[in-house]
Short mmCIF file of all heavy atoms in Angstrom, two decimals:
data_model
loop_
_atom_site.label_atom_id
_atom_site.label_comp_id
_atom_site.label_asym_id
_atom_site.label_seq_id
_atom_site.Cartn_x
_atom_site.Cartn_y
_atom_site.Cartn_z
N ALA T 177 -31.49 -52.80 23.28
CA ALA T 177 -30.83 -51.61 22.72
C ALA T 177 -31.05 -51.54 21.22
O ALA T 177 -31.24 -50.45 20.65
CB ALA T 177 -29.34 -51.64 23.05
N ASN T 178 -31.06 -52.68 20.57
CA ASN T 178 -31.28 -52.76 19.12
C ASN T 178 -32.65 -52.20 18.76
O ASN T 178 -32.78 -51.37 17.85
CB ASN T 178 -31.15 -54.23 18.70
CG ASN T 178 -30.87 -54.41 17.25
OD1 ASN T 178 -31.23 -53.59 16.42
ND2 ASN T 178 -30.22 -55.51 16.93
N ARG T 179 -33.65 -52.67 19.47
CA ARG T 179 -35.02 -52.22 19.21
C ARG T 179 -35.13 -50.72 19.39
O ARG T 179 -35.65 -50.02 18.51
CB ARG T 179 -35.98 -52.94 20.16
CG ARG T 179 -37.43 -52.55 19.99
CD ARG T 179 -38.31 -53.38 20.93
NE ARG T 179 -39.69 -53.12 20.68
CZ ARG T 179 -40.43 -52.24 21.38
NH1 ARG T 179 -39.89 -51.56 22.37
NH2 ARG T 179 -41.69 -52.06 21.09
N LEU T 180 -34.65 -50.20 20.51
CA LEU T 180 -34.74 -48.78 20.80
C LEU T 180 -33.96 -47.95 19.77
O LEU T 180 -34.46 -46.94 19.26
CB LEU T 180 -34.24 -48.50 22.21
CG LEU T 180 -34.30 -47.04 22.66
CD1 LEU T 180 -35.75 -46.54 22.66
CD2 LEU T 180 -33.68 -46.88 24.03
N THR T 181 -32.75 -48.37 19.46
CA THR T 181 -31.92 -47.64 18.50
C THR T 181 -32.60 -47.58 17.13
O THR T 181 -32.63 -46.53 16.49
CB THR T 181 -30.53 -48.29 18.39
OG1 THR T 181 -29.93 -48.32 19.68
CG2 THR T 181 -29.64 -47.53 17.43
N ASN T 182 -33.14 -48.69 16.67
CA ASN T 182 -33.82 -48.71 15.38
C ASN T 182 -35.06 -47.82 15.38
O ASN T 182 -35.31 -47.11 14.40
CB ASN T 182 -34.18 -50.14 14.98
CG ASN T 182 -33.04 -50.80 14.25
OD1 ASN T 182 -32.85 -50.59 13.07
ND2 ASN T 182 -32.26 -51.60 14.97
N LEU T 183 -35.82 -47.85 16.46
CA LEU T 183 -37.02 -47.00 16.53
C LEU T 183 -36.64 -45.52 16.49
O LEU T 183 -37.24 -44.74 15.75
CB LEU T 183 -37.81 -47.31 17.81
CG LEU T 183 -38.57 -48.63 17.82
CD1 LEU T 183 -39.12 -48.92 19.21
CD2 LEU T 183 -39.69 -48.62 16.78
N VAL T 184 -35.63 -45.13 17.26
CA VAL T 184 -35.23 -43.73 17.33
C VAL T 184 -34.63 -43.26 16.02
O VAL T 184 -35.02 -42.22 15.47
CB VAL T 184 -34.25 -43.50 18.51
CG1 VAL T 184 -33.63 -42.11 18.45
CG2 VAL T 184 -34.97 -43.70 19.84
N VAL T 185 -33.66 -44.00 15.49
CA VAL T 185 -32.98 -43.56 14.27
C VAL T 185 -33.95 -43.52 13.09
O VAL T 185 -33.95 -42.56 12.31
CB VAL T 185 -31.75 -44.44 13.97
CG1 VAL T 185 -31.14 -44.08 12.61
CG2 VAL T 185 -30.72 -44.29 15.08
N ALA T 186 -34.80 -44.52 12.94
CA ALA T 186 -35.77 -44.51 11.84
C ALA T 186 -36.73 -43.32 11.98
O ALA T 186 -37.05 -42.65 10.99
CB ALA T 186 -36.54 -45.82 11.78
N ALA T 187 -37.17 -43.05 13.20
CA ALA T 187 -38.08 -41.91 13.42
C ALA T 187 -37.39 -40.59 13.09
O ALA T 187 -38.02 -39.69 12.51
CB ALA T 187 -38.58 -41.92 14.87
N VAL T 188 -36.12 -40.46 13.44
CA VAL T 188 -35.37 -39.23 13.13
C VAL T 188 -35.19 -39.08 11.61
O VAL T 188 -35.24 -37.97 11.08
CB VAL T 188 -34.01 -39.22 13.85
CG1 VAL T 188 -33.08 -38.15 13.31
CG2 VAL T 188 -34.22 -39.05 15.35
N TYR T 189 -35.02 -40.19 10.91
CA TYR T 189 -34.79 -40.12 9.47
C TYR T 189 -36.05 -39.86 8.65
O TYR T 189 -35.96 -39.52 7.48
CB TYR T 189 -34.04 -41.37 8.98
CG TYR T 189 -32.57 -41.10 8.96
CD1 TYR T 189 -31.83 -41.13 10.13
CD2 TYR T 189 -31.92 -40.72 7.79
CE1 TYR T 189 -30.49 -40.82 10.14
CE2 TYR T 189 -30.58 -40.41 7.79
CZ TYR T 189 -29.87 -40.46 8.97
OH TYR T 189 -28.54 -40.14 8.96
N VAL T 190 -37.21 -39.98 9.24
CA VAL T 190 -38.44 -39.65 8.50
C VAL T 190 -38.44 -38.18 8.07
O VAL T 190 -38.57 -37.89 6.87
CB VAL T 190 -39.71 -40.03 9.30
CG1 VAL T 190 -40.96 -39.43 8.67
CG2 VAL T 190 -39.84 -41.55 9.39
N PRO T 191 -38.26 -37.21 8.98
CA PRO T 191 -38.23 -35.82 8.52
C PRO T 191 -36.99 -35.49 7.68
O PRO T 191 -37.07 -34.68 6.74
CB PRO T 191 -38.26 -34.98 9.80
CG PRO T 191 -37.90 -35.90 10.89
CD PRO T 191 -38.25 -37.29 10.44
N VAL T 192 -35.85 -36.12 7.98
CA VAL T 192 -34.64 -35.92 7.17
C VAL T 192 -34.92 -36.34 5.74
O VAL T 192 -34.59 -35.63 4.78
CB VAL T 192 -33.44 -36.70 7.76
CG1 VAL T 192 -32.26 -36.71 6.80
CG2 VAL T 192 -33.04 -36.15 9.11
N THR T 193 -35.54 -37.49 5.57
CA THR T 193 -35.86 -38.01 4.24
C THR T 193 -36.89 -37.12 3.54
O THR T 193 -36.74 -36.81 2.37
CB THR T 193 -36.37 -39.46 4.35
OG1 THR T 193 -35.34 -40.24 4.94
CG2 THR T 193 -36.75 -40.03 3.01
N ALA T 194 -37.91 -36.73 4.26
CA ALA T 194 -38.96 -35.88 3.67
C ALA T 194 -38.38 -34.54 3.22
O ALA T 194 -38.80 -33.99 2.19
CB ALA T 194 -40.09 -35.67 4.66
N PHE T 195 -37.39 -34.01 3.95
CA PHE T 195 -36.76 -32.74 3.58
C PHE T 195 -36.10 -32.82 2.21
O PHE T 195 -36.02 -31.82 1.49
CB PHE T 195 -35.73 -32.32 4.63
CG PHE T 195 -34.95 -31.11 4.23
CD1 PHE T 195 -35.51 -29.84 4.32
CD2 PHE T 195 -33.65 -31.22 3.75
CE1 PHE T 195 -34.80 -28.72 3.94
CE2 PHE T 195 -32.92 -30.11 3.36
CZ PHE T 195 -33.49 -28.85 3.46
N ASN T 196 -35.63 -34.00 1.83
CA ASN T 196 -34.92 -34.16 0.56
C ASN T 196 -35.76 -33.82 -0.66
O ASN T 196 -35.22 -33.58 -1.73
CB ASN T 196 -34.36 -35.57 0.42
CG ASN T 196 -33.15 -35.78 1.30
OD1 ASN T 196 -32.41 -34.85 1.59
ND2 ASN T 196 -32.96 -37.00 1.74
N VAL T 197 -37.06 -33.79 -0.54
CA VAL T 197 -37.92 -33.47 -1.68
C VAL T 197 -38.16 -31.96 -1.78
O VAL T 197 -38.60 -31.47 -2.82
CB VAL T 197 -39.25 -34.27 -1.60
CG1 VAL T 197 -40.23 -33.62 -0.66
CG2 VAL T 197 -39.85 -34.44 -2.97
N ALA T 198 -37.80 -31.22 -0.74
CA ALA T 198 -38.05 -29.77 -0.72
C ALA T 198 -37.27 -29.06 -1.82
O ALA T 198 -36.08 -29.25 -1.98
CB ALA T 198 -37.66 -29.20 0.64
N GLY T 199 -37.97 -28.26 -2.59
CA GLY T 199 -37.35 -27.43 -3.61
C GLY T 199 -36.85 -28.15 -4.84
O GLY T 199 -36.17 -27.54 -5.68
N GLU T 200 -37.15 -29.41 -4.97
CA GLU T 200 -36.66 -30.15 -6.13
C GLU T 200 -37.49 -29.85 -7.37
O GLU T 200 -38.71 -29.71 -7.30
CB GLU T 200 -36.66 -31.66 -5.85
CG GLU T 200 -35.57 -32.08 -4.91
CD GLU T 200 -34.18 -31.72 -5.39
OE1 GLU T 200 -33.91 -31.75 -6.61
OE2 GLU T 200 -33.34 -31.40 -4.53
N ILE T 201 -36.80 -29.77 -8.51
CA ILE T 201 -37.47 -29.49 -9.78
C ILE T 201 -38.12 -30.76 -10.32
O ILE T 201 -39.24 -30.73 -10.79
CB ILE T 201 -36.46 -28.93 -10.80
CG1 ILE T 201 -35.87 -27.62 -10.26
CG2 ILE T 201 -37.09 -28.71 -12.16
CD1 ILE T 201 -34.66 -27.13 -11.01
N TRP T 202 -37.41 -31.87 -10.24
CA TRP T 202 -37.95 -33.15 -10.73
C TRP T 202 -38.70 -33.83 -9.60
O TRP T 202 -38.25 -34.79 -8.99
CB TRP T 202 -36.81 -34.03 -11.24
CG TRP T 202 -36.25 -33.60 -12.56
CD1 TRP T 202 -36.39 -32.38 -13.16
CD2 TRP T 202 -35.46 -34.38 -13.43
NE1 TRP T 202 -35.73 -32.36 -14.33
CE2 TRP T 202 -35.14 -33.58 -14.54
CE3 TRP T 202 -34.98 -35.68 -13.39
CZ2 TRP T 202 -34.38 -34.04 -15.60
CZ3 TRP T 202 -34.21 -36.14 -14.44
CH2 TRP T 202 -33.93 -35.33 -15.54
N LEU T 203 -39.89 -33.33 -9.33
CA LEU T 203 -40.68 -33.79 -8.19
C LEU T 203 -41.07 -35.27 -8.30
O LEU T 203 -41.07 -35.98 -7.30
CB LEU T 203 -41.92 -32.92 -8.01
CG LEU T 203 -42.65 -33.05 -6.68
CD1 LEU T 203 -41.70 -32.81 -5.51
CD2 LEU T 203 -43.81 -32.10 -6.62
N ALA T 204 -41.40 -35.74 -9.51
CA ALA T 204 -41.78 -37.15 -9.67
C ALA T 204 -40.61 -38.06 -9.30
O ALA T 204 -40.78 -39.05 -8.58
CB ALA T 204 -42.25 -37.43 -11.09
N PHE T 205 -39.42 -37.72 -9.78
CA PHE T 205 -38.22 -38.52 -9.49
C PHE T 205 -37.90 -38.50 -7.99
O PHE T 205 -37.79 -39.56 -7.36
CB PHE T 205 -37.03 -37.98 -10.30
CG PHE T 205 -35.71 -38.50 -9.85
CD1 PHE T 205 -35.33 -39.81 -10.12
CD2 PHE T 205 -34.82 -37.69 -9.16
CE1 PHE T 205 -34.11 -40.30 -9.70
CE2 PHE T 205 -33.59 -38.18 -8.73
CZ PHE T 205 -33.23 -39.49 -9.01
N TYR T 206 -37.74 -37.32 -7.43
CA TYR T 206 -37.40 -37.23 -6.01
C TYR T 206 -38.55 -37.70 -5.14
O TYR T 206 -38.33 -38.33 -4.10
CB TYR T 206 -36.99 -35.81 -5.63
CG TYR T 206 -35.50 -35.70 -5.41
CD1 TYR T 206 -34.67 -35.30 -6.42
CD2 TYR T 206 -34.95 -36.04 -4.18
CE1 TYR T 206 -33.30 -35.22 -6.23
CE2 TYR T 206 -33.59 -35.97 -3.97
CZ TYR T 206 -32.76 -35.55 -5.00
OH TYR T 206 -31.42 -35.49 -4.80
N GLY T 207 -39.77 -37.42 -5.55
CA GLY T 207 -40.93 -37.87 -4.78
C GLY T 207 -40.98 -39.38 -4.68
O GLY T 207 -41.22 -39.93 -3.61
N LEU T 208 -40.71 -40.06 -5.81
CA LEU T 208 -40.69 -41.53 -5.79
C LEU T 208 -39.59 -42.03 -4.86
O LEU T 208 -39.81 -42.94 -4.06
CB LEU T 208 -40.50 -42.09 -7.20
CG LEU T 208 -40.37 -43.62 -7.30
CD1 LEU T 208 -41.61 -44.31 -6.75
CD2 LEU T 208 -40.07 -44.04 -8.72
N GLY T 209 -38.40 -41.43 -4.96
CA GLY T 209 -37.30 -41.83 -4.09
C GLY T 209 -37.65 -41.66 -2.63
O GLY T 209 -37.42 -42.56 -1.81
N VAL T 210 -38.23 -40.53 -2.29
CA VAL T 210 -38.61 -40.26 -0.89
C VAL T 210 -39.69 -41.23 -0.42
O VAL T 210 -39.61 -41.76 0.69
CB VAL T 210 -39.03 -38.78 -0.72
CG1 VAL T 210 -39.74 -38.56 0.61
CG2 VAL T 210 -37.81 -37.88 -0.82
N VAL T 211 -40.69 -41.49 -1.25
CA VAL T 211 -41.76 -42.42 -0.87
C VAL T 211 -41.19 -43.81 -0.62
O VAL T 211 -41.52 -44.47 0.38
CB VAL T 211 -42.88 -42.46 -1.94
CG1 VAL T 211 -43.80 -43.65 -1.75
CG2 VAL T 211 -43.67 -41.16 -1.92
N LEU T 212 -40.29 -44.27 -1.50
CA LEU T 212 -39.69 -45.59 -1.31
C LEU T 212 -38.83 -45.64 -0.04
O LEU T 212 -38.86 -46.63 0.70
CB LEU T 212 -38.87 -45.98 -2.54
CG LEU T 212 -39.68 -46.18 -3.83
CD1 LEU T 212 -38.76 -46.39 -5.01
CD2 LEU T 212 -40.69 -47.31 -3.70
N GLU T 213 -38.08 -44.58 0.22
CA GLU T 213 -37.28 -44.52 1.44
C GLU T 213 -38.18 -44.51 2.68
O GLU T 213 -37.88 -45.17 3.68
CB GLU T 213 -36.38 -43.28 1.43
CG GLU T 213 -35.26 -43.36 0.42
CD GLU T 213 -34.52 -42.04 0.20
OE1 GLU T 213 -34.74 -41.08 0.98
OE2 GLU T 213 -33.73 -41.97 -0.74
N LEU T 214 -39.29 -43.79 2.63
CA LEU T 214 -40.22 -43.75 3.76
C LEU T 214 -40.87 -45.11 4.00
O LEU T 214 -41.11 -45.49 5.15
CB LEU T 214 -41.29 -42.66 3.55
CG LEU T 214 -40.78 -41.22 3.65
CD1 LEU T 214 -41.88 -40.24 3.25
CD2 LEU T 214 -40.25 -40.91 5.04
N ILE T 215 -41.13 -45.85 2.93
CA ILE T 215 -41.67 -47.21 3.08
C ILE T 215 -40.66 -48.08 3.82
O ILE T 215 -41.02 -48.83 4.74
CB ILE T 215 -42.04 -47.82 1.71
CG1 ILE T 215 -43.27 -47.13 1.14
CG2 ILE T 215 -42.25 -49.34 1.81
CD1 ILE T 215 -43.58 -47.47 -0.31
#
Side-chain angles (χ1 to χ4, degrees):
N178 200 331
R179 180 177 186 263
L180 181 62
T181 303
N182 273 280
L183 287 171
V184 170
V185 174
V188 167
Y189 266 78
V190 168
V192 170
T193 300
F195 174 77
N196 286 331
V197 81
E200 287 302 325
I201 299 167
W202 286 17
L203 195 55
F205 166 73
Y206 254 95
L208 176 60
V210 166
V211 165
L212 295 173
E213 290 169 11
L214 290 173
I215 289 169

